[in-house]
Amino acid sequence: MSILLRTEGLSKAFTLHLQGGTRIPVLGQVDLAVSAGECVALSGPSGAGKSTLMRCLYGNYGVGSGRILLAHRGEELDLASADPRAVVAARRQTIGYVSQFLRVIPRVSTRDIVADPMMARGMAREDALVRASALLDRLNLPERLHGLPPATFSGGEQQRVNLARGFGPRYPVLLLDEPTASLDAGNRAIVIGLIHEAKQAGTAIVGIFHDAEVREAVADRVFTVEPMQDAA
Amino acid sequence: MKTLLEAKALRLNFGAIAALDDVSLDVTAGEVVAIVGESGSGKTTLLRVLAGQMAPDSGAVHYLGRDVLGMTEAERRRLMRSDWGFVHQNPRDGLRMGVSAGGNVGERLMALGARHYGNIRDEAKAWLQRVEIDAGRIDDLPRHFSGGMQQRLQIARTLVTRPKLVFMDEPTGGLDVSVQARLLDLIRALVRELGLSVLIVTHDIAAARLLADRILVMRRGQVVEQGLTDRVLDDPQHPYTQLLVSSVLAA
Amino acid sequence: MTEAGYNFAYLDEATKRMIRRAILKAVAIPGHQIPFGAREMPLPYGWGTGGIQVTASILGPTDVLKVIDQGADDTTNAVSIRRFFTRVAGIATTDATGEASIIQTRHRIPEKPLTENQILVYQVPQPEPLFRLEPHRAETRRLHALADYGLMHVRLYEDIARLGHIAKAYDYPVMVNERYLMSPSPIPAFDNPKMHQMAALQLFGAGREKRIYAVPPYTPVRSLDFEDHPFRPIRAPQACAICGSKTSYLDELVTDDAGGRAFICSDTDYCQERQAAPKAAAE
């Protein structure tokens, strides 16, 4: 199966100028590859850098050295060194990110928040809204909430909005950062179902799953992120 | 991706102070670029130079290949009436306060040759609704509007001729927080609906995050960091950017 | 030689040359205001010094001059100005529109159509049509240069929005040659159509503001309006109480304390011509 996302010698350190220039290395020479239809679970102790790696893969964090190669529009795009506009295009088209935290835009309804990325990818508005509602229903988000902005939703409700937004556009590559953290058993099962369907459709998935049950149900292999030593 | 605006090596000194110190940037079609910085960073000066309102000491600005700084006043005014829009921080600078809301919105249409009163009025009403001003206030004077309404009216007046590139100078400055949120959301929606390219100067980082694809951080006339908005704000590299981001209070 | 000490038509020849140069420029750019070095005249500002300077510069010994004020030859101002030119130029004067080669007018255009052999000189108080909308002269000059007349469009729009119609009864703004916005001077809006493609040369002089402008013969002059609110020349719906004209511009005269009023032709010569005509036809 083709590799849709891979890293070469990915390294990253944080330099905290406000703390006297303290340098904290987090990732060192990470080589990760994910194929279509495959789900790779990142594992490692807390603070090892799993979330950091995820954010690097999405271009949300910069990298110190190395490459992040994404199969985008038939070519390999190095997200680490790409022009910001190319990253924006890659995020619109090819790679999606589901985080635990929903950044809320005031006054935009949940349904519209979920439909937006689908429309950005080219879907017609009516179709996007229909699919958005269907996904929200599947994730057990009550209908009366679909038309409301999610600012006042509970953590679990916001997470489900995030999930619908991430799974809606059918991205070839999907990054899932603790997708079931605030969900009950029933909803966790639904997410497992969504992940399975995505895999069968050929999606390459990288995920952080604290919940062992979910991880065992969806991960094809585990990639361990080793914590690095602090700088002296 | 078509480059709309390109600025190279801009320098401008006010006496001993470097207001612009070797600044370059570009804006492509359909993107929103935010320029953030604190007072005195040079961001407003930069906007004025880019819009051809101020001449730099050196450097070049091109719009679709045309030399902006070399244009005559007539050409620049024509550009400002058709392809470009400018939203001022203070709506009073961008509106005719003694002219009704409808007249304000209709003026640019009439300047471009619209001669049918009924049609001009209908289009003005449609735009007022688009910026969430009750169409029944079409004959009211802006001086009787709240600050937020005045700003929305200014936006309607600017966008009515579908400019390709819109310059915005602190569009939410001086407005109440809830009013700001509404205005930002309106701008966001209009940008997407109309496919506008926007260059927005703001000291409000949250607004930049909401609206902009790319962000430039300015300090003392220099661009200290630039790139993808969420990357610059979540993983700031430059010491000043780190200071700026950490200084923002969370609600 | 005329009354002792005065050059022909009062102004010295160098001044006339300067004014004629301004007139030439004005004719070359229809509707555009040309500054000129207005001279001290024996009348104060506001009494027609601009018109007088223009007339003085184009007057020749064989010219026949008619002077009207609000259409009448016999009001104080018209009489004064006519007598002034008689004293300093010795030219022939007339009340009959058809006999005049130069007609100086304050605030009206004669009813009788003018010919290619005639020149109409208007007295202008405020040459800048944007004056009330934009107080800065430097800015109005820029607006004219850029043909940026949004201010005026907005003013007309506002009138219709507030009043249902454009509220300019006189000094109604016009576009000359589809390029310059011009003030036709405070003639009634009713007179505007006469300016369009007029056979005579039209010259405008503003003494206090020191501007001259012109509309050459056969120039398009269009009153500003909207497609769905077209310009309509307005006159009182009455007929003249003296000559019976239903088409000329009428003055409304209060005749007694009981509210009685009469409508009479503003153009005195026109009215008299019409009165004489049935008699002539009868003879």
Side-chain angles (χ1 to χ4, degrees):
Chain A
M1 272 259 85
S2 53
I3 293 176
L4 298 187
L5 179 66
R6 65 188 177 90
T7 69
E8 270 176 12
L10 178 59
S11 301
K12 173 149 186 75
F14 288 105
T15 304
L16 306 180
H17 295 284
L18 300 180
Q19 290 176 32
T22 312
R23 187 171 180 275
I24 303 178
V26 179
L27 300 172
Q29 297 294 318
V30 172
D31 291 311
L32 165 70
V34 191
S35 306
E38 185 184 24
C39 175
V40 174
L42 300 182
S43 84
S46 224
K50 302 188 292 294
S51 256
T52 301
L53 176 57
M54 289 284 266
R55 286 171 179 258
C56 286
L57 293 176
Y58 195 57
N60 179 225
Y61 281 177
V63 306
S65 60
R67 304 202 295 166
I68 303 172
L69 296 157
L70 174 70
H72 171 65
R73 292 196 179 285
E75 296 190 347
E76 271 199 323
L77 173 70
D78 178 14
L79 291 173
S81 59
D83 183 273
R85 283 164 280 226
V87 177
V88 170
R91 287 176 178 180
R92 191 182 307 132
Q93 209 48 43
T94 307
I95 181 166
Y97 185 90
V98 178
S99 79
Q100 306 174 56
F101 309 109
L102 179 63
R103 198 175 294 278
V104 177
I105 303 168
R107 307 198 319 160
V108 181
S109 76
T110 299
R111 198 183 299 115
D112 282 326
I113 286 177
V114 175
D116 255 3
M118 291 189 249
M119 290 193 285
R121 210 163 175 265
M123 204 186 273
R125 184 175 160 78
E126 305 74 43
D127 299 333
L129 288 172
V130 163
R131 181 160 162 77
S133 298
L135 272 169
L136 291 169
D137 284 337
R138 185 165 166 189
L139 287 160
N140 287 321
L141 199 77
E143 242 240 84
R144 60 180 168 80
L145 296 182
H146 293 195
L148 298 177
T152 51
F153 290 4
S154 70
E157 285 163 346
Q158 289 196 353
Q159 184 158 47
R160 277 174 277 159
V161 175
N162 251 347
L163 285 160
R165 193 174 145 86
F167 279 91
R170 299 199 179 90
Y171 297 110
V173 179
L174 207 49
L175 307 173
L176 306 174
D177 189 345
E178 306 276 15
T180 58
S182 319
L183 303 183
D184 62 24
N187 285 323
R188 280 204 295 273
I190 292 171
V191 173
I192 292 173
L194 283 171
I195 296 175
H196 276 150
E197 281 167 29
K199 281 168 64 177
Q200 281 189 318
T203 309
I205 301 177
V206 180
I208 301 173
F209 309 101
H210 262 139
D211 190 285
E213 175 209 347
V214 174
R215 188 172 56 240
E216 255 132 62
V218 303
D220 295 304
R221 63 186 166 91
V222 168
F223 183 87
T224 307
V225 181
E226 300 285 357
M228 295 183 78
Q229 306 220 299
D230 283 319
Chain B
M1 279 182 296
K2 191 167 59 164
T3 300
L4 287 187
L5 189 71
E6 198 176 5
K8 283 205 178 82
L10 296 173
R11 285 186 195 280
L12 178 55
N13 292 310
F14 293 135
I17 300 174
L20 295 177
D21 188 355
D22 197 21
V23 175
S24 303
L25 69 82
D26 57 31
V27 181
T28 56
E31 73 168 338
V32 179
V33 178
I35 304 172
V36 301
E38 299 179 298
S39 312
S41 59
K43 58 190 193 299
T44 301
T45 306
L46 176 59
L47 198 70
R48 292 218 187 101
V49 168
L50 293 174
Q53 293 170 0
M54 220 189 241
D57 296 331
S58 64
V61 180
H62 287 87
Y63 172 72
L64 291 177
R66 293 167 61 188
D67 181 6
V68 171
L69 302 174
M71 273 183 204
T72 62
E73 165 111 27
E75 289 169 323
R76 207 171 308 127
R77 283 211 188 191
R78 225 171 287 138
L79 202 53
M80 199 49 95
R81 256 188 281 166
S82 54
D83 271 24
W84 283 4
F86 200 107
V87 177
H88 295 85
Q89 176 172 1
N90 190 338
R92 282 155 198 275
D93 295 331
L95 290 174
R96 296 201 191 275
M97 299 305 284
V99 170
S100 71
N104 265 289
V105 178
E107 182 180 346
R108 279 172 82 131
L109 293 172
M110 291 188 273
L112 294 179
R115 280 288 166 275
H116 192 280
Y117 174 81
N119 292 346
I120 293 165
R121 199 170 164 79
D122 286 342
E123 186 142 4
K125 275 194 199 144
W127 269 98
L128 287 179
Q129 281 172 330
R130 225 178 190 153
V131 298
E132 296 170 25
I133 295 176
D134 177 16
R137 303 206 63 176
I138 186 172
D139 295 321
D140 290 349
L141 294 179
R143 55 170 74 105
H144 300 143
F145 287 7
S146 66
M149 273 177 87
Q150 286 180 357
Q151 197 55 299
R152 279 179 279 137
L153 180 61
Q154 198 199 167
I155 287 173
R157 173 179 159 89
T158 305
L159 297 185
V160 70
T161 49
R162 315 265 171 157
K164 293 202 186 78
L165 177 63
V166 183
F167 299 91
M168 292 193 189
D169 184 8
E170 309 260 16
T172 58
L175 297 176
D176 289 336
V177 173
S178 62
V179 175
Q180 280 188 31
R182 188 177 181 189
L183 189 67
L184 286 173
D185 182 52
L186 179 69
I187 293 174
R188 200 188 67 94
L190 287 172
V191 163
R192 292 187 27 199
E193 192 187 321
L194 303 175
L196 302 173
S197 309
V198 178
L199 195 52
I200 176 169
V201 158
T202 180
H203 62 266
D204 182 350
I205 294 189
R209 191 192 275 276
L210 177 65
L211 295 175
D213 303 307
R214 285 193 302 128
I215 189 171
L216 280 78
V217 180
M218 284 193 75
R219 179 175 183 253
R220 297 210 188 126
Q222 294 182 332
V223 177
V224 300
E225 192 164 355
Q226 64 176 296
L228 206 58
T229 305
D230 63 281
R231 209 279 304 150
V232 170
L233 296 179
D234 287 343
D235 186 21
Q237 297 299 300
H238 191 274
Y240 177 70
T241 317
Q242 290 188 0
L243 173 65
L244 204 61
V245 169
S246 66
S247 306
V248 175
L249 298 172
Chain C
M1 191 54 161
T2 59
E3 188 159 313
Y6 290 111
N7 194 40
F8 179 81
Y10 186 78
L11 295 175
D12 58 281
E13 292 305 311
T15 300
K16 289 185 200 172
R17 184 180 295 172
M18 176 271 295
I19 293 177
R20 287 173 194 153
R21 283 205 181 104
I23 292 174
L24 280 180
K25 286 182 191 162
V27 169
I29 313 173
H32 175 57
Q33 301 163 49
I34 310 290
F36 77 106
R39 297 289 187 254
E40 285 275 349
M41 299 299 288
L43 297 89
Y45 291 141
W47 292 81
T49 57
I52 290 168
Q53 286 176 84
V54 170
T55 298
S57 303
I58 62 174
L59 202 61
T62 56
D63 272 307
V64 180
L65 179 68
K66 171 180 164 80
V67 184
I68 47 173
D69 176 3
Q70 306 269 45
D73 301 88
D74 55 356
T75 64
T76 312
N77 298 325
V79 169
S80 290
I81 294 173
R82 197 164 51 240
R83 189 166 57 195
F84 168 76
F85 278 113
T86 308
R87 286 165 67 185
V88 301
I91 40 88
T93 62
T94 180
D95 286 359
T97 304
E99 286 172 22
S101 60
I102 297 176
I103 301 168
Q104 180 168 327
T105 177
R106 172 177 172 276
H107 303 351
R108 278 241 52 216
I109 297 179
E111 301 290 343
K112 189 184 174 80
L114 303 181
T115 71
E116 288 177 5
N117 299 319
Q118 297 176 301
I119 298 178
L120 188 58
V121 178
Y122 296 74
Q123 294 171 206
V124 179
Q126 174 52 259
E128 179 52 69
L130 298 169
F131 178 63
R132 292 225 174 277
L133 304 174
E134 173 52 69
H136 298 110
R137 274 322 171 104
E139 182 59 21
T140 57
R141 274 164 50 199
R142 229 175 271 138
L143 295 176
H144 281 295
L146 300 171
D148 183 354
Y149 294 128
L151 271 174
M152 183 56 82
H153 300 143
V154 159
R155 163 69 210 274
L156 299 178
Y157 168 95
E158 292 290 277
D159 275 359
I160 297 178
R162 261 179 310 130
L163 309 163
H165 60 95
I166 294 172
K168 274 286 227 180
Y170 58 90
D171 197 7
Y172 192 106
V174 294
M175 279 302 274
V176 176
N177 210 26
E178 289 305 325
R179 175 54 182 91
Y180 280 99
L181 183 71
M182 187 186 89
S183 155
S185 83
I187 55 176
F190 176 80
D191 277 346
N192 277 18
K194 300 188 180 76
M195 299 182 74
H196 178 62
Q197 303 284 356
M198 187 192 278
L201 169 65
Q202 300 171 77
L203 299 177
F204 298 77
R208 173 179 37 214
E209 299 297 321
K210 307 183 193 347
R211 296 281 187 282
I212 285 173
Y213 48 101
V215 177
Y218 303 116
T219 302
V221 177
R222 176 176 63 87
S223 300
L224 296 190
D225 61 5
F226 290 93
E227 287 167 16
D228 50 339
H229 284 82
F231 171 80
R232 282 181 306 118
I234 297 176
R235 65 182 285 282
Q238 279 76 5
C240 172
I242 300 177
C243 75
S245 170
K246 291 210 183 85
T247 55
S248 78
Y249 191 74
L250 302 174
D251 286 335
E252 183 179 358
L253 268 59
V254 177
T255 50
D256 56 41
D257 291 344
R261 36 201 79 230
F263 289 86
I264 328 187
C265 284
S266 140
D267 187 336
T268 52
D269 177 58
Y270 178 79
C271 200
Q272 273 163 17
E273 242 189 42
R274 277 182 58 87
Q275 290 170 54
K279 277 199 221 117
E283 275 157 20

